[in-house]
Amino acid sequence: MRDRFDVAIAGAGPAGAQCARDLAARGYDTVVLETESEAEFPRQSNKSTGGTFPSMMAGFSIPDDVVMHFTDSVVIESPTQYFAQEQAGAVLEFADFKKFLVADSQEKGAEYWFDARVSKPITEGGSVVGMQYNGDGEVYADVVIDATGPAAPLAKALGVSDLKHKNQAIGLEYELEGVDLDAPGYADLTDAMMLRLDHEYAPGGYSWIFHTGADTAKVGVCYIQNETYQQYAKNRTIDGYLEHWLETDPRFEGTERIEGKHHRGSAHVQQPGKLSTDGFIAIGDTVPTVDPLWGEGIHQGMRSARAAAIAVDHCLTPDDPDTSAENISLYDTLWHREVAPKMDARLLMTQLLYFAANERYDELLSDLNRLDPDTLSKANQGNKLAIAKLLHLTDIPLLTRFARHRLGV
Ligand SMILES: Cc1cc2nc3c(=O)[nH]c(=O)nc-3n(C[C@H](O)[C@H](O)[C@H](O)COP(=O)(O)OP(=O)(O)OC[C@H]3O[C@@H](n4cnc5c(N)ncnc54)[C@H](O)[C@@H]3O)c2cc1C
């Protein structure tokens, strides 16, 4: 078996497979090592709800046949209120989506090694020159990319992207049939992706219902087990929280779980540290790239994959290739400028949002219904005026508590 490539990627998730797609299309000799077996792929890594938007579908030429259901609105719910906004979206069949990315990159020339569990980087003179897999297997490349998601064996060993356990968000989801999507007293969730802010079901996080056609939906919860979680938690496991929601929300009365359709996973919500070093780049959830506020990680991860492909092209195109940390750091620049701009501000907004109590969520949604329909989109993009419109004088104690909490006093 060959052991030398232009680029070797660990992990065939949306980030790794997309990066292989872009690099193979540019003619780079690319190999992807994936820990799962080809026959079962994706199994444990079939973890995502797969909610996405036309910007991702069109931006990365994703075919409609990996979509379970197209949606036309996004709904935010609190214990007693809801806010609905028209917004085209798509709920992907995540397994089909992953298989498509792999098949398409193979067609473009990328090679895949399944059953290949990457364990550590191989370095020479301080530069990454390859990776070790399945014990003593070795593969060498001009550039090595870690796209293994939160596992991050290479990035961790190299001190790139310092993933901290206290920033790890965990998520669990079932696919259900028999869901009442237009129940009295609730928003009509037909053709909608709904996120619910309610500490009763997701302390310090959110829960969701994404319509997947007829009376079926993906229903899940996620949260970070940090101080906000401790404040609202009721000694349940994540499975216990999802069960609690299913047992107490009338929309789930008489629903049945679709066999074999449950998804579980994690992602880190934190400011990334270093993103690359000599001969090495970390992408997707390894960084982590997932949007802190709403957990959108697919589009973000694929954009980081594209930024990595651009950086590789920049390093390997010259007659005398240069994969030094300085040259490869074009990736870091692109990441901060185009992949996840304003990450600091979004992290702050996220921490503040999940810090607030249920009653404040009700107030927030009443405000959104009262204000200009674009307020949420603008606040979401970090527009200070829009954010200010959503704050009240009565928030001063909350903001003070939040500031003290951040300062650790
Ligand atoms: C419950 C849940 C729901 C979510 N819902 C949404 C959503 O609706 N919309 C959205 O945009 N995002 C969502 N996300 C986030 C999104 O799924 C992730 O951000 C995205 O999958 C990250 O892609 P990735 O390629 O970086 O990593 P991953 O998807 O984690 O892929 C990593 C790949 O690497 C492989 N691997 C791991 N370790 C090794 C190793 N040692 N050697 C070789 N291969 C390895 C894995 O098997 C996997 O194939 C959700 C996440 C969770 C957990």
Side-chain angles (χ1 to χ4, degrees):
M1 197 151 73
R2 293 175 56 199
D3 70 351
R4 212 239 93 107
F5 293 82
D6 295 331
V7 186
I9 302 173
Q18 177 57 42
C19 196
R21 249 179 123 200
D22 281 346
L23 288 166
R26 286 279 300 137
Y28 288 105
D29 206 7
T30 305
V31 66
V32 182
L33 277 68
E34 165 59 46
T35 189
E36 296 191 348
S37 74
E38 186 165 14
E40 293 191 317
F41 178 80
R43 195 172 168 211
Q44 206 182 328
S45 70
N46 184 12
K47 62 180 185 183
S48 184
T49 312
T52 193
F53 297 97
S55 47
M56 193 291 278
M57 300 293 288
F60 290 92
S61 308
I62 306 301
D64 284 357
D65 51 11
V66 301
V67 175
M68 280 178 95
H69 193 63
F70 285 101
T71 53
D72 52 32
S73 66
V74 170
V75 176
I76 303 181
E77 205 174 86
S78 66
T80 67
Q81 306 285 323
Y82 62 82
F83 169 77
Q85 187 158 51
E86 274 184 27
Q87 160 88 65
V91 183
L92 304 175
E93 174 51 82
F94 193 62
D96 291 351
F97 170 61
K98 283 190 74 162
K99 285 186 199 157
F100 161 76
L101 294 176
V102 169
D104 196 56
S105 51
Q106 281 172 325
E107 244 171 63
K108 291 179 164 66
E111 200 169 303
Y112 277 76
W113 298 353
F114 287 90
D115 287 311
R117 184 172 188 74
V118 172
S119 52
K120 57 180 178 191
I122 303 170
T123 56
E124 259 172 40
S127 186
V128 181
V129 294
M131 53 193 175
Q132 226 170 309
Y133 65 97
N134 294 351
D136 56 4
E138 292 184 346
V139 62
Y140 291 86
D142 293 333
V143 181
V144 169
I145 296 181
D146 193 342
T148 55
L154 307 176
K156 279 180 191 162
L158 294 164
V160 174
S161 96
D162 180 21
L163 299 179
K164 295 218 160 48
H165 183 66
K166 70 177 173 89
N167 297 323
Q168 191 183 30
I170 49 172
L172 171 68
E173 160 186 284
Y174 300 154
E175 292 187 31
L176 300 178
E177 58 189 353
V179 181
D180 185 352
L181 290 149
D182 193 10
Y186 292 92
D188 182 359
L189 299 185
T190 312
D191 302 330
M193 294 192 228
M194 183 278 274
L195 299 174
R196 182 178 177 99
L197 296 168
D198 184 345
H199 298 296
E200 178 69 21
Y201 301 126
Y206 59 87
S207 55
W208 65 87
I209 302 175
F210 283 13
H211 187 203
T212 48
D215 64 353
T216 67
K218 294 183 176 183
V219 178
V221 299
C222 76
Y223 50 77
I224 303 182
Q225 285 169 291
N226 59 11
E227 298 84 349
T228 312
Y229 166 82
Q230 309 292 354
Q231 189 182 339
Y232 296 106
K234 299 236 176 63
N235 203 19
R236 291 192 179 101
T237 59
I238 191 156
D239 300 64
Y241 277 108
L242 184 50
E243 287 300 336
H244 175 55
W245 192 23
L246 299 183
E247 279 161 13
T248 53
D249 188 319
R251 292 172 290 189
F252 303 126
E253 218 177 287
T255 52
E256 301 231 344
R257 278 176 61 179
I258 301 173
E259 212 189 311
K261 296 280 200 163
H262 62 271
H263 314 283
R264 185 187 296 271
S266 72
H268 290 75
V269 175
Q270 66 175 68
Q271 182 68 5
K274 243 166 77 176
L275 306 175
S276 63
T277 187
D278 299 81
F280 177 80
I281 299 178
I283 62 175
D285 277 2
T286 299
V287 172
T289 307
V290 67
D291 178 60
L293 206 46
W294 304 119
E296 200 189 346
I298 295 170
H299 193 187
Q300 301 275 102
M302 292 174 71
R303 280 170 28 202
S304 76
R306 182 149 290 167
I310 293 169
V312 168
D313 205 27
H314 163 77
C315 293
L316 301 187
T317 298
D319 290 341
D320 193 9
D322 174 3
T323 60
S324 64
E326 195 190 346
N327 207 33
I328 223 167
S329 72
L330 169 67
Y331 170 68
D332 303 45
T333 308
L334 292 173
W335 194 94
H336 288 288
R337 200 175 64 202
E338 285 162 27
V339 177
K342 300 194 184 145
M343 186 59 133
D344 274 355
R346 293 188 72 71
L347 271 167
L348 195 72
M349 273 163 63
T350 309
Q351 286 164 354
L352 180 59
L353 183 70
Y354 296 124
F355 206 71
N358 271 0
E359 299 70 39
R360 187 63 185 88
Y361 291 153
D362 289 335
E363 237 180 322
L364 172 73
L365 296 199
S366 304
D367 288 346
L368 286 173
N369 281 313
R370 193 173 43 77
L371 292 164
D372 157 10
D374 285 341
T375 307
L376 179 62
S377 317
K378 287 183 185 155
N380 203 27
Q381 285 155 20
N383 179 307
K384 290 194 181 106
L385 193 66
I387 295 170
K389 280 188 191 164
L390 296 171
L391 291 173
H392 294 187
L393 272 178
T394 49
D395 285 331
I396 290 172
L398 168 73
L399 293 170
T400 312
R401 226 164 25 94
F402 180 63
R404 282 211 190 105
H405 164 74
R406 279 182 60 89
L407 294 168
V409 292

